[in-house]
Each structure stands twice: as structure tokens, then as C-alpha cells.
Amino acid sequence: MNTPSRPTGHTHFLSLPDLAARSAGGAVLWANDDVFAEKENLVKPGPAEHRPATFGHKGQVYDGWETRRRRGVTEDSHDAAIIRLGVPAIVRGVVVDTAWFTGNYPPEISVEAAHVAGHPSVEELVDKTEWTTIVGRTGVNGDTRNPFETDSDRRWTHVRLSIYPDGGVARFRVHGEGLINPDFAENMTLDLAALENGGRITACSNMFYSSPNNLLLPGVARTMGEGWETSRRRDAGNDWVEMRLAGQGVLNAIELDTSYFVGNSPGAARVSGRDGDGAWFEILPLTELQPDTRHRFRVYDDRPVTAARLDVYPDGGMARVRLFGALTPAGLRDVCDRWEAST
């Protein structure tokens, strides 16, 4: 048995995006067993739901992954699932959420990770991949969000969740920092704020209804719940969010998307940028916004930026923020350095 890892008391990694979530491009590629509840439920973005005494032809219907009861159990008997992350990433922590599993949760888990280039087949991942333990075999509680901090600075593309010996897990969250492959960064126009390109939220005034990480997810929002929404302000201030870009770059276009925010979109917004620790400067002046609309603006300022700030007036919700541009030579070097340092 591996040296146990303990649930962390320092859950700051929870502010980082869940890069295993389906909404971030993650997917469950394989599980050795999911006879009671489908493995794909592990990466659904929302919390697990439960309706008591709801039975299908295989038993109680669970919003999670549940395997059959093992017989002839030995110490090493276990079930496992392999998840592909939405983007290569440095994993800072994981959450094994056993919500609603009370008499059928696994008493122990472990988590391993691997970096596999390209688009490996399931067979390659199961039979030919070398896995590294990032959370040693350790106990978990039922009907609980069990968080575990990790300490590896290597980049990973896939993770493997093992449960001992069997049972159910509602959700599996993998929080970390995305990295862009330099091969897809040179001489290209990118969304420099996107999670899949290494962008990250660094500060936010208010996240009462939903996380600002949603602003940087790939694709379009499908509901209001897939964006960022603040509580209603009752003072003279305004809400804001700050983000670190993939690297130093020069912006050429901005998209502020209020899709699905009909009666609660901001009345106006402003976008600022800065380079390193320099002063903030205005990129998009205070501009009125419309509800349920994708707003696009050209940028003609050639000053490089490494961070951006979105101010919304006075409050409200935004579905997505896109900051299109190209990396500077210095920005590309930084991307290459981070990529090489994570091998």
C-alpha cells in the first residue's frame, strides 16, 4: 500500500478551475466497471443530485459513478477510471466527492497522473502508460467532498482515480493551472485569457452565484448558470474580475458575452490591462452593454499586456470573456520556459 495522503486543511487550490470537468473539455475515457452508474457522471460540472427511492432496473439511480460489489476481495482489489483533462496542466489538488453515497462509498482512494502526447487510445492508456502517484492510497468519508492537495510541478494530461475495493463516487474534480503547448502558440492569434491557453482568474470582487472561472471556459454558455454572476450591489461601487493571460501579448479584439443574462446583465463594462507590475491602463473604455448579447470590439492599442481587468457596472452576470491577440517574443519565451519546466 502506498503512503497515505491526508485530506488537506489548505483548500486554496479550490479557487483554481476544475480542468477535468466536461465544460472545460475533460472526459472519462475508461472505467473497468460502471454497472450501477455511468462513469461519465464523474466530470459533470454541477453538483450531484439525488432523488430518494428512485429505482431503475439496476437499482437506485445515482448521479455519479458506481461499481458492483466485489467478491473475493484482497487488499489490492480495486476499481478505476481514467479521465482526460481538458488541457495539459499542473495539478494543484483534487476533490473526491462522495455526495449521496452513504452505505456504498469506497473507504479508500488513490490518484495517479500521466502525460501522454497526442491523442492516445484507451488501450494505450490502460496497458502501456506509466502512471505517477499524486495522491497516495488514503481513506475518504461518505457523502462528503474530500479534498487532497498535491505537490507535483509536472504537467499531466490524464489522471486515474482508483477506489478500494469498490463503490460510488459522485464527482471527481481536478483543480490546476492550464499550460499551452508552445507548438500552438507561435505566430497565432489566440484567446489569451482562455483556460485552455493558460489564462487564469487571479482576483474577483464577488462570486455569489457562480465562479468567475466560467468566464474563461471553452465554447459558449448554454445557460445562465454557466457564466459568472454577482449578487446585487446596494452601494456605490462596482464588481470586477482580474485575470492573468497566457503570456505577454498584444490584444487585437475583445468579446464580452452576456448570453442568457436577460434581466441581470451589467449595464456597462470597462477593460483594462497592464504589463507585469506596471500601472493599469484602459483598453476598452466604459461601454454600454446589452442583455443576452455577444459584444465584439476591435483593439488598436499595441501596448503589451500580461494581465487584464474587467469592471462591470454596477453588478450582474457575464457568460464569457475573450481577449484575442498574439504573444510577444517575450511572451512566447515565457510559455516555452513554463512548458519545459513542467516536464
Side-chain angles (χ1 to χ4, degrees):
M1 182 184 298
N2 293 323
T3 302
S5 298
R6 293 179 297 172
T8 176
H10 305 286
T11 55
H12 62 276
F13 70 82
L14 295 175
S15 65
L16 296 172
D18 172 17
L19 298 175
R22 188 69 183 178
S23 55
V28 184
L29 303 181
W30 170 88
N32 69 302
D33 186 295
D34 61 354
V35 70
F36 282 120
E38 295 83 359
K39 62 186 183 296
E40 288 81 7
N41 291 331
L42 282 171
V43 298
K44 289 169 67 174
E49 299 177 351
H50 181 62
R51 289 180 293 169
T54 304
F55 290 92
H57 68 281
K58 294 183 179 180
Q60 169 67 41
V61 176
Y62 277 96
D63 184 13
W65 168 50
E66 187 183 5
T67 68
R68 75 189 74 199
R69 299 187 188 215
R70 282 180 169 265
R71 305 304 187 194
V73 172
T74 66
E75 183 181 23
D76 293 328
S77 296
H78 69 280
D79 294 319
I82 293 176
I83 295 92
R84 183 192 65 223
L85 301 181
V87 59
I90 298 173
V91 175
R92 299 302 186 189
V94 303
V95 177
V96 180
D97 185 353
T98 56
W100 306 111
F101 289 98
T102 54
N104 51 351
Y105 65 92
E108 295 180 312
I109 62 91
S110 67
V111 181
E112 299 160 288
H115 181 272
V116 185
H119 308 91
S121 66
V122 169
E123 291 73 20
E124 181 179 353
L125 291 169
V126 173
D127 298 327
K128 301 178 182 179
T129 297
E130 181 178 346
W131 295 90
T132 299
T133 298
I134 59 174
V135 176
R137 183 169 170 177
T138 187
V140 295
N141 296 316
D143 197 18
T144 301
R145 295 173 72 241
N146 298 272
F148 299 92
E149 193 168 13
T150 62
D151 59 5
S152 172
D153 287 325
R154 294 175 59 186
R155 70 174 182 268
W156 310 111
T157 56
H158 298 77
V159 291
R160 182 168 66 184
L161 170 65
S162 295
I163 58 176
Y164 301 85
D166 53 42
V169 175
R171 297 289 188 268
F172 181 53
R173 308 302 190 195
V174 182
H175 297 273
E177 303 168 22
L179 296 172
I180 184 173
N181 186 328
D183 291 342
F184 296 94
E186 187 173 8
N187 298 323
M188 297 180 69
T189 294
L190 307 168
D191 177 2
L192 295 175
L195 291 178
E196 59 189 347
N197 292 332
R200 181 159 68 89
I201 299 296
T202 55
C204 179
S205 63
N206 185 291
M207 56 182 81
F208 186 85
Y209 287 110
S210 48
S211 171
N213 287 318
N214 291 343
L215 292 171
L216 311 185
L217 288 173
V220 297
R222 296 169 297 176
T223 67
M224 189 174 67
E226 294 185 0
W228 167 56
E229 185 181 2
T230 72
S231 57
R232 301 190 186 205
R233 294 190 75 95
R234 305 304 186 189
D235 57 26
N238 72 281
D239 288 316
W240 51 268
V241 62
E242 293 180 4
M243 58 207 83
R244 186 190 72 187
L245 305 186
Q248 186 190 63
V250 175
L251 301 182
N252 53 44
I254 292 173
E255 181 177 300
L256 303 180
D257 183 0
T258 61
S259 291
Y260 296 101
F261 290 94
V262 178
N264 52 356
S265 63
R270 184 195 312 269
V271 177
S272 305
R274 71 177 179 185
D275 186 16
D277 295 326
W280 291 101
F281 59 89
E282 189 174 79
I283 299 175
L284 179 71
L286 184 63
T287 302
E288 290 187 1
L289 299 181
Q290 298 299 320
D292 197 20
T293 300
R294 294 175 69 186
H295 307 78
R296 294 179 176 178
F297 309 97
R298 286 299 307 270
V299 175
Y300 299 100
D301 193 325
D302 60 0
R303 283 178 289 183
V305 292
T306 58
R309 175 182 169 115
L310 169 68
D311 282 89
V312 296
Y313 297 88
D315 53 34
M318 186 82 64
R320 296 287 187 270
V321 172
R322 309 295 189 203
L323 301 177
F324 297 103
L327 292 171
T328 65
L332 181 60
R333 286 195 300 271
D334 185 49
V335 165
C336 291
D337 289 345
R338 290 203 303 270
W339 185 260
E340 290 301 321
S342 64
T343 56

